Amino acid sequence: MIPIRLMFALFGTTLLMIVFGFGISTDVNNLTFAVLDRDQTPDSRAYLEELRGSPYFVEKPPLADYADIDRRLKNGEINASIEIPPNFGQDIKRGQPAWVSAWIDGAMPFRAETIRSYLQGMHQLYLNDPAVKTTHAAPPPPADIEVRFKYNQDFDSVFAMVPSTLAMMLALFPAILMALAVVREKELGSITNLYVTPVTRLEFLIGKQLPYVGVALINFVVMFLLAIFVFGVPLKGSFLALLAGTIIYVFTTTGYGMLISTFCSTQIAALFGTAILTILPAQQFSGMMTPVSSLSGTAQIIGLGFPMSYYRPISVGVFTKGLGFSDVGPSILTLIVFIPVLTAISLVLLRKQER
Amino acid sequence: MRSLSNIFWLGTKELRSFFSDWVLLGFVIYSFSLAVISQAQSNSQELYHASLGIVDEDHSELSRRITHAFLMPYFKQPVAIAPADVEPLMNAGKYTFIIDIPPNFQRDVLAGRQPGLQIDVDATAMVQAGLGSGYAEQIVNNEISTFLSKTEATPSSPVNLAVRIAFNPNVMTAWFTSVMGIISSVTMLAIVLAGAALVREREHGTMDHLLVMPLSPLEIAMSKIWANGLVIAAAVGLSLYLIVRLLLKIPIAGSIPLFMLGAILYLFFATAIGLFLGTVARSMPQLGLLYMLVAVPMNVLSGNATPLESMPRWLAIAMQVSPSTHFVSFAQAILYRGAGLGVVWPQFIAVAAIALLFLILSLLRFRSALSSASS
């Protein structure tokens, strides 16, 4: 391992951890909307007041007509439009049901769904606002429904995403470096040293693996400190459980790179192959966005076969849920199973290549 | 003319080495087929099959109605659990939602005593918890109202809100993630192919052969760009027609040729930045690290998984420099909203300008970087 590469590996993970820690967020805000107020009465303004006071939304210049709604949704200038019909205020005074309609840009489904729930929440706030004078008094709710956000009361995505990003970084770097290290020897021919010396294949693979396990663990320490001191994500659970899980995890992620390396003969294939086989599962199929149990089809199969699906619950669990060995034990045990399986398949495939 | 034929013949050499690497070819096919299909099945943008547990301490008609109101495909079949198991099950992440219906709930509702009902949400499953908690609350509320409306008429609301979603009325993830999958494969593949094509020549010493031949750096660079770009453009076109349209049956609102034009501009950029990284890296492992630093953020933060609006302002502005952000943005505009060239041209120009910049940068570095490294 040459020092420049080591420095780069450390620097790279740190940089990416910072960028992703800030960038991968599901807290949707700065949403843009514009209003087509065809009523222009104090009542219509009272309705829009809830929306205008919201920290999630930014208002753009008012809409002129329907064609304007269409055009500005299409070019992405606004995420949502609100239309208040004429006679809105009159209807309220007469006690006739009044209708407000909203259009939301559905090009990004998650954003659209979030906007929908924000709008509905604000609509509810308006209805329950005692200052809003309508002819009917709103009926008292029949039950007191309380939604409790456990582990993360403010529902701030950083507490879930930063520990997940740590898991993602430890999946990507060790796998790619490991895969390239083995295939490099094949492509440049230095692997013949293995065949002429009495080193066994197992010794060769483990000898290749250990330095990268070491680098990954140093990376872990750096990212752990970043999570606590830069992102302010406190460690609520057992550090030892997290450490134990991490050590086993980096053996599995380097093992994953090793497995890919055994069937690649060029470094290009190894680099692209490891990238496509790690980045996609890490970002999409390991529970970072959606729980693995809610995936379907091949997405779920890929997720279940990827070590990060078992480490992410450990990382998030220890950091944010405050868990210890007893709770994360099953995940650690599942990760342990990966090690002999990955190593055995790699040995078999490496043997075949030789003949 | 001479130069064009050089570019052409050098490019065919590039194509031959690509097609002789069977494993690489396999990965490329995978990344534009199965990887796209799996992303379409990730349900990562909607509430789908959320796991739900119910602690029913009431055992009344109302509590059973609430239990049965949670329907597929949004929620999985609710599972009855004991009060003591709530904590360990949530710790293990088995359920995203657990609803606790207290004893005598129905009796208290009927008596107008406003009994409490708790919905525990695992707030570390961000997307599901965010989309599902309001929904779950609404389901419980509706169920209680319809239960009550048998006995008394609930007055209608004075003001109603009709929300409609444009361009993707059922808000389906697959519409979005399948095309985003193609885009991320393009970014990853184009940068690797171009960058590695350069580093490989250097590691094998064949770069020296090229440099002593009467070829200009521009010819070498352009040959790598057209050859690698052609392979990927073909993969994108096939993937869009065969996988997204035919297999996944996703309706495409806009013009595919216009999207392909944008994709080709983007490929020009991605291969140019790949070449640039190739001139910086001295070995493949170094290229691998550089690639991770450049390609992964370009992919993950382009707005293809989480919205740009969620990022801190400095990062959202910084991502405007990355053509991947423009690519994602015009892909959404063209394919979903049916936008035409009149809407997307500023983004096309942004991509082309950044591409040109990187091409010039890599040409400047080309000869000096390569000859010094190989000696």
Side-chain angles (χ1 to χ4, degrees):
Chain A
M1 180 105 211
I2 49 171
I4 188 167
R5 211 187 298 162
L6 177 66
M7 290 304 294
F8 230 107
L10 288 178
F11 166 75
T13 358
T14 310
L15 188 76
L16 284 191
M17 176 79 181
I18 292 173
V19 172
F20 287 167
F22 284 112
I24 303 181
S25 165
T26 52
D27 306 332
V28 187
N29 42 38
N30 297 320
L31 297 164
T32 49
F33 76 99
V35 171
L36 179 58
D37 185 353
R38 302 201 289 147
D39 190 41
Q40 301 282 1
T41 58
D43 298 288
S44 69
R45 280 188 285 275
Y47 185 85
L48 294 168
E49 209 48 53
E50 294 293 347
L51 196 61
R52 290 179 169 140
S54 158
Y56 303 118
F57 286 96
V58 180
E59 187 171 4
K60 296 279 167 180
L63 295 155
D65 47 35
Y66 289 122
D68 206 22
I69 295 184
D70 195 48
R71 187 182 62 81
R72 285 162 74 186
L73 277 175
K74 214 169 226 180
N75 67 18
E77 189 192 323
I78 53 172
N79 302 136
S81 73
I82 310 288
E83 184 208 345
I84 299 202
N87 306 326
F88 176 79
Q90 224 170 19
D91 285 347
I92 291 181
K93 288 203 179 70
R94 285 188 191 146
Q96 284 171 354
W99 283 89
V100 174
S101 64
W103 277 102
I104 300 173
D105 171 13
M108 181 171 198
F110 169 65
R111 188 177 59 199
E113 288 281 22
T114 310
I115 295 175
R116 167 148 68 187
S117 70
Y118 284 171
L119 287 181
Q120 275 160 350
M122 260 172 280
H123 180 73
Q124 215 55 46
L125 275 179
Y126 165 81
L127 289 179
N128 297 341
D129 190 343
V132 175
K133 289 179 183 57
T134 56
T135 44
H136 321 276
D144 179 19
I145 299 174
E146 184 197 357
V147 176
R148 294 195 309 182
F149 288 112
K150 283 178 73 99
Y151 315 114
N152 179 6
Q153 274 81 6
D154 298 332
F155 200 55
D156 187 343
S157 84
V158 76
F159 297 105
M161 288 307 173
V162 165
S164 301
T165 304
L166 186 150
M168 178 160 100
M169 291 293 107
L170 290 179
L172 307 188
F173 278 86
I176 292 204
L177 289 177
M178 180 73 199
L180 282 177
V182 175
V183 178
R184 187 174 173 72
E185 304 232 355
K186 283 194 203 169
E187 187 178 320
L188 300 181
S190 51
I191 202 163
T192 39
N193 293 340
L194 165 68
Y195 308 141
V196 296
T197 49
V199 176
T200 66
R201 283 159 209 94
L202 185 63
E203 284 167 347
F204 170 76
L205 286 179
I206 292 178
K208 281 263 150 208
Q209 190 177 13
L210 285 178
Y212 292 102
V213 169
V215 175
L217 287 176
I218 300 172
N219 276 332
F220 165 71
V221 173
V222 174
M223 290 192 288
F224 176 80
L225 296 174
L226 282 175
I228 291 179
F229 294 109
V230 175
F231 293 103
V233 177
L235 183 80
K236 294 188 188 155
S238 149
F239 177 73
L240 280 182
L242 179 62
L243 185 66
T246 306
I247 293 173
I248 292 162
Y249 177 56
V250 297
F251 269 99
T252 64
T253 55
T254 46
Y256 191 78
M258 184 163 81
L259 174 61
I260 295 171
S261 75
T262 53
F263 53 83
C264 297
S265 49
T266 62
Q267 294 182 79
I268 300 185
L271 178 54
F272 179 62
T274 327
I276 191 88
L277 294 177
T278 54
I279 295 173
L280 180 61
Q283 193 192 351
Q284 304 270 354
F285 309 145
S286 303
M288 197 153 168
M289 295 295 155
T290 311
V292 181
S293 63
S294 300
L295 301 172
S296 44
T298 47
Q300 191 169 45
I301 296 168
I302 297 173
L304 290 174
F306 194 63
M308 186 179 150
S309 301
Y310 308 94
Y311 178 70
R312 201 199 73 96
I314 301 176
S315 175
V316 176
V318 172
F319 263 106
T320 300
K321 295 188 177 180
L323 307 185
F325 268 107
S326 55
D327 288 301
V328 299
S331 301
I332 296 184
L333 289 177
T334 318
L335 279 178
I336 290 179
V337 175
F338 271 90
I339 300 177
V341 173
L342 288 170
T343 313
I345 305 176
S346 304
L347 278 177
V348 171
L349 289 174
L350 193 68
R351 190 162 299 174
K352 269 187 189 159
Q353 290 257 331
E354 253 173 82
R355 283 178 195 149
Chain B
M1 206 58 233
R2 160 90 207 206
S3 175
L4 279 180
S5 100
N6 283 343
I7 293 174
F8 174 76
W9 288 109
L10 274 175
T12 56
K13 181 190 75 114
E14 205 64 39
L15 287 180
R16 268 201 306 281
S17 80
F18 173 80
F19 284 104
S20 62
D21 190 341
W22 287 100
V23 178
L24 178 61
L25 197 61
F27 282 135
V28 172
I29 293 172
Y30 165 81
S31 68
F32 284 97
S33 58
L34 199 60
V36 173
I37 297 171
S38 341
Q39 287 185 76
Q41 293 172 329
S42 72
N43 313 313
S44 61
Q45 302 262 326
E46 61 191 307
L47 185 67
Y48 183 85
H49 284 201
S51 49
L52 176 86
I54 291 211
V55 181
D56 184 356
E57 298 175 271
D58 190 26
H59 299 289
S60 61
E61 194 196 340
L62 178 57
S63 72
R64 271 188 296 275
R65 280 179 173 227
I66 292 175
T67 309
H68 292 304
F70 287 90
L71 296 175
M72 292 279 256
Y74 309 107
F75 292 92
K76 284 187 189 164
Q77 185 79 35
V79 179
I81 55 180
D85 292 338
V86 171
E87 204 64 31
L89 285 170
M90 288 213 97
N91 282 347
K94 290 271 184 279
Y95 297 101
T96 310
F97 302 96
I98 292 185
I99 295 180
D100 188 344
I101 304 174
N104 303 323
F105 183 73
Q106 176 178 326
R107 199 189 65 196
D108 291 348
V109 164
L110 286 173
R113 279 196 283 263
Q114 286 186 272
L117 179 146
Q118 262 178 11
I119 304 178
D120 282 336
V121 180
D122 181 346
T124 63
M126 298 305 296
V127 171
Q128 214 165 57
L131 298 178
S133 56
Y135 199 57
E137 189 180 354
Q138 208 184 336
I139 290 176
V140 174
N141 256 329
N142 285 349
E143 214 47 44
I144 297 174
S145 320
T146 43
F147 178 73
L148 284 178
S149 65
K150 285 193 310 186
T151 46
E152 51 183 304
T154 41
S156 65
S157 192
V159 179
N160 304 282
L161 175 69
V163 179
R164 278 159 300 179
I165 312 274
F167 317 121
N168 182 358
N170 298 320
V171 221
M172 279 158 55
T173 294
W175 286 33
F176 179 73
T177 46
S178 55
V179 173
M180 295 306 126
I182 295 181
I183 291 179
S184 67
S185 294
V186 169
T187 307
M188 292 200 282
L189 184 62
I191 299 180
V192 169
L193 280 187
L198 215 55
V199 174
R200 183 188 51 200
E201 305 249 21
R202 190 185 310 163
E203 282 192 345
H204 290 247
T206 47
M207 197 42 129
D208 294 330
H209 301 184
L210 284 180
L211 288 172
V212 296
M213 278 193 253
L215 294 168
S216 69
L218 180 71
E219 287 167 5
I220 301 179
M222 289 314 288
S223 69
K224 296 201 185 290
I225 287 178
W226 85 253
N228 292 309
L230 180 73
V231 170
I232 303 168
V236 171
L238 285 175
S239 184
L240 205 55
Y241 272 110
L242 297 180
I243 306 292
V244 173
R245 251 197 161 169
L246 283 179
L247 196 71
L248 297 171
K249 299 193 171 56
I250 291 167
I252 290 172
S255 144
I256 293 185
L258 183 64
F259 171 75
M260 285 304 294
L261 176 68
I264 288 167
L265 278 179
Y266 181 74
L267 273 170
F268 177 44
F269 157 76
T271 42
I273 198 170
L275 283 181
F276 177 72
L277 295 182
T279 63
V280 176
R282 277 150 194 276
S283 65
M284 283 294 278
Q286 279 187 19
L287 179 74
L289 284 167
L290 278 175
Y291 169 74
M292 300 286 287
L293 279 180
V294 175
V296 180
M298 270 178 38
N299 239 345
V300 175
L301 302 178
S302 58
N304 73 359
T306 53
L308 276 173
E309 287 90 343
S310 309
M311 291 174 200
R313 190 157 285 276
W314 60 269
L315 193 56
I317 292 171
M319 285 312 293
Q320 291 301 315
V321 179
S322 163
S324 61
T325 311
H326 298 288
F327 190 17
V328 165
S329 152
F330 71 65
Q332 288 176 9
I334 297 172
L335 298 177
Y336 304 127
R337 304 190 199 117
L341 190 61
V343 170
V344 297
W345 67 268
Q347 283 152 340
F348 276 26
I349 290 192
V351 172
I354 302 169
L356 208 59
L357 179 74
F358 274 100
L359 181 65
I360 293 170
L361 278 180
S362 47
L363 287 178
L364 286 177
R365 289 193 48 85
F366 221 70
R367 197 169 275 272
S368 63
L370 294 182
S371 48
S372 71
S374 53
S375 59

